[in-house]
Amino acid sequence: MIKASDFGKNFLWGVAVAAAQIEGAADLYGKGPSIWDTFSKKAGNACNFYHSFKEDIALVKLLGFPLFRFSISWPRLLPKGTGTVNEEGIRFYHEVIDECLRQDILPYVTLYHWDLPDALEQEGGWTSFGINNAFNEFVTLCASEYGDKVTNWIILNEPFGFTSLGYMLGIHAPGKTGVTNFFSAVHHAAIAQADGGRIIRAEVGRANIGTTFSCSEVIPYTQSDSDLLAAKRIDTLMNRLFVEPLMGMGYPTADWELLEKFAISHSTWRHTSRLTFDFDFIGLQNYFPLTVKYNAFVPVIQAWEVKAKNRKKPHTAMGWEVNPNSFYNIIKQFAAYPGIKNLMITENGAYYKDIISTDKHIHDTERIAYFESHLTALLKLKNEGINISGYMAWTLMDNFEWAEGFQARFGLVHNNFKTQERIIKDSGYWFKDFLAR
Ligand code: GAL
């Protein structure tokens, strides 16, 4: 049976959360509205972490995780995105960090996990060039406030996630659509990830700096030329768009003519030096692979996903295919970039329909199997010499799962959103046992 000690004693084990998904107090204590408050208005009190962070950090401790990854809400510190600072917000994250340190938990701080101040969205959000100055102001503020206590920093959470879902497909906040919005947002986010790294490097001594990428192995449905090319386009978009400019390789325009066209019309896309930064670690977040086939009716990408369910493959309640071999393959794909020195898995996890037994237990055996199989694949990579230094499970407790609301539960700890009662699931106990051995 796999155990944490198989990964060596320096391997870092953590559990991840994000401000907008757990904090609640969305319009309290001086916080300004974020795009998620305006877009969905549904997060409400979420997990009430704002008031229960001490108990929740104690849960991290109880489960045996030495590391806690959480994010700072930009509109809680800067209600309008720039300018006036909300001192209560500043104080809150001091308290969260201090509590981690008091309980001997290593804080990993994410600077942007999707809760853009709504005031900035009114000016175009990530599509506007002005976003970069605003983001840099926020990063500088965080560095000066928390830099003497926090060593480990993550600049962006999944830039492909928030630019595609929020600015192209309109499924996530701010609900914008279209290719032009998307590519503008991409470029500004690509600048932000590198600028953010530079600011933390300059302002925080001995900082360990990373940023995260979503990634999915892209598998062609058949070996036909059209399916192979469709898979290549999706891979370019989902896996290469942000990491390659960061590595100094520029945008992967050669492999997708539409990207090349956009690059030609936007001369700043050629300015690669501002897009590069030498991160100490790259965070990878993986949940599922994608099987795709050519489809002429899909605008722009002309590709379509063939769902796991339709292929009769194992999948989570989200419909996402469970495939630890693909987890292995996609990490290998990223590890092959010479510029990546060190990888961490900064998110991985699964939503299954949990059932609470009458004696208040949650026997989430499918989630345990998911973690076990993915960790086995990870160990294989590590033993093959891939430089992976840590793993963070998604997520501590059931929370506000973006467009899915409170329906999709990914937690190791169950949350009753009415009473805020927390119940450790069997998967939480499984991790506790795994980490102790
Ligand atoms: C990630 C995101 C997390 C969480 C997770 C599960 O893309 O960073 O905030 O929602 O997916 O869907």
Side-chain angles (χ1 to χ4, degrees), residues 307-316 320-323:
K307 299 259 186 221
K309 199 169 140 213
N310 300 338
R311 289 178 290 114
K312 307 210 172 358
K313 296 285 180 198
H315 54 274
T316 68
W320 295 348
E321 182 177 342
V322 179
N323 187 337

Side-chain angles (χ1 to χ4, degrees), residues 18 21 113-114 157-158 285 287 318 320 347 394 401-402 410:
Q21 295 180 275
H113 203 130
W114 302 0
N157 183 72
E158 296 190 359
Q285 319 204 144
Y287 289 88
M318 208 81 165
W320 295 348
E347 279 185 29
W394 184 267
E401 175 53 35
W402 311 117
F410 280 81

Side-chain angles (χ1 to χ4, degrees), residues 91-385:
R91 185 190 45 75
F92 173 65
Y93 295 106
H94 271 297
E95 286 184 14
V96 173
I97 294 162
D98 291 346
E99 188 61 23
C100 286
L101 300 176
R102 204 181 62 76
Q103 297 199 36
D104 199 21
I105 302 271
L106 190 62
Y108 265 64
V109 170
T110 311
L111 287 167
Y112 185 73
H113 203 130
W114 302 0
D115 46 355
L116 186 73
D118 194 55
L120 294 176
E121 186 53 43
Q122 302 313 317
E123 294 163 24
W126 285 102
T127 67
S128 117
F129 186 64
I131 194 74
N132 287 115
N133 282 343
F135 183 68
N136 292 353
E137 182 180 329
F138 167 60
V139 176
T140 307
L141 173 67
C142 292
S144 75
E145 277 297 330
Y146 309 120
D148 57 343
K149 298 175 184 172
V150 174
T151 313
N152 303 289
W153 298 82
I154 291 173
I155 308 300
L156 296 184
N157 183 72
E158 296 190 359
F160 178 72
F162 71 79
T163 53
S164 64
L165 299 169
Y167 288 89
M168 179 165 64
L169 301 173
I171 304 168
H172 276 197
K176 283 188 173 156
T177 51
V179 180
T180 308
N181 280 330
F182 172 61
F183 282 134
S184 309
V186 165
H187 189 50
H188 300 130
I191 293 173
Q193 68 185 0
D195 275 5
R198 274 185 287 273
I199 292 170
I200 299 292
R201 182 73 81 225
E203 304 290 322
V204 180
R206 300 190 334 275
N208 178 39
I209 315 171
T211 197
T212 74
F213 300 116
S214 50
C215 60
S216 283
E217 188 191 13
V218 183
I219 305 163
Y221 185 56
T222 72
Q223 290 300 308
S224 71
D225 283 355
S226 54
D227 282 0
L228 286 169
L229 281 170
K232 191 167 195 170
R233 282 194 296 278
I234 299 287
D235 179 54
T236 306
L237 192 64
M238 292 187 68
N239 296 317
R240 301 173 52 199
L241 192 56
F242 284 93
V243 69
E244 294 194 3
L246 184 67
M247 301 284 133
M249 300 160 73
Y251 291 104
T253 52
D255 281 324
W256 193 18
E257 63 286 8
L258 188 88
L259 271 182
E260 177 60 24
K261 267 197 213 147
F262 194 82
I264 289 169
S265 59
H266 289 73
S267 59
T268 53
W269 271 46
R270 303 291 185 205
H271 296 172
T272 49
S273 62
R274 193 175 173 191
L275 304 176
T276 65
F277 180 73
D278 187 18
F279 277 101
D280 300 313
F281 68 95
I282 291 297
L284 295 182
Q285 319 204 144
N286 173 265
Y287 289 88
F288 53 84
L290 278 181
T291 293
V292 301
K293 70 187 295 224
Y294 173 73
N295 186 329
F297 297 108
V298 181
V300 185
I301 50 173
Q302 302 200 305
W304 193 249
E305 184 193 356
V306 191
K307 299 259 186 221
K309 199 169 140 213
N310 300 338
R311 289 178 290 114
K312 307 210 172 358
K313 296 285 180 198
H315 54 274
T316 68
M318 208 81 165
W320 295 348
E321 182 177 342
V322 179
N323 187 337
N325 198 38
S326 276
F327 178 70
Y328 171 93
N329 289 340
I330 192 64
I331 295 171
K332 256 201 144 150
Q333 182 175 323
F334 272 77
Y337 287 108
I340 296 186
K341 299 182 282 203
N342 174 17
L343 288 171
M344 287 186 98
I345 306 307
T346 39
E347 279 185 29
N348 173 239
Y351 153 43
Y352 287 105
K353 292 213 158 72
D354 297 326
I355 298 163
I356 311 181
S357 65
T358 41
D359 59 349
K360 286 200 172 174
H361 282 92
I362 294 135
H363 303 301
D364 54 341
T365 48
E366 290 169 301
R367 188 175 287 106
I368 294 173
Y370 183 97
F371 281 122
E372 201 162 22
S373 61
H374 284 71
L375 288 169
T376 304
L378 191 66
L379 183 59
K380 187 168 168 222
L381 287 158
K382 187 146 195 314
N383 288 340
E384 284 171 15

Side-chain angles (χ1 to χ4, degrees), residues 398-409:
D398 299 339
N399 59 32
F400 173 67
E401 175 53 35
W402 311 117
E404 315 296 323
F406 292 101
Q407 176 104 21
R409 294 174 176 269

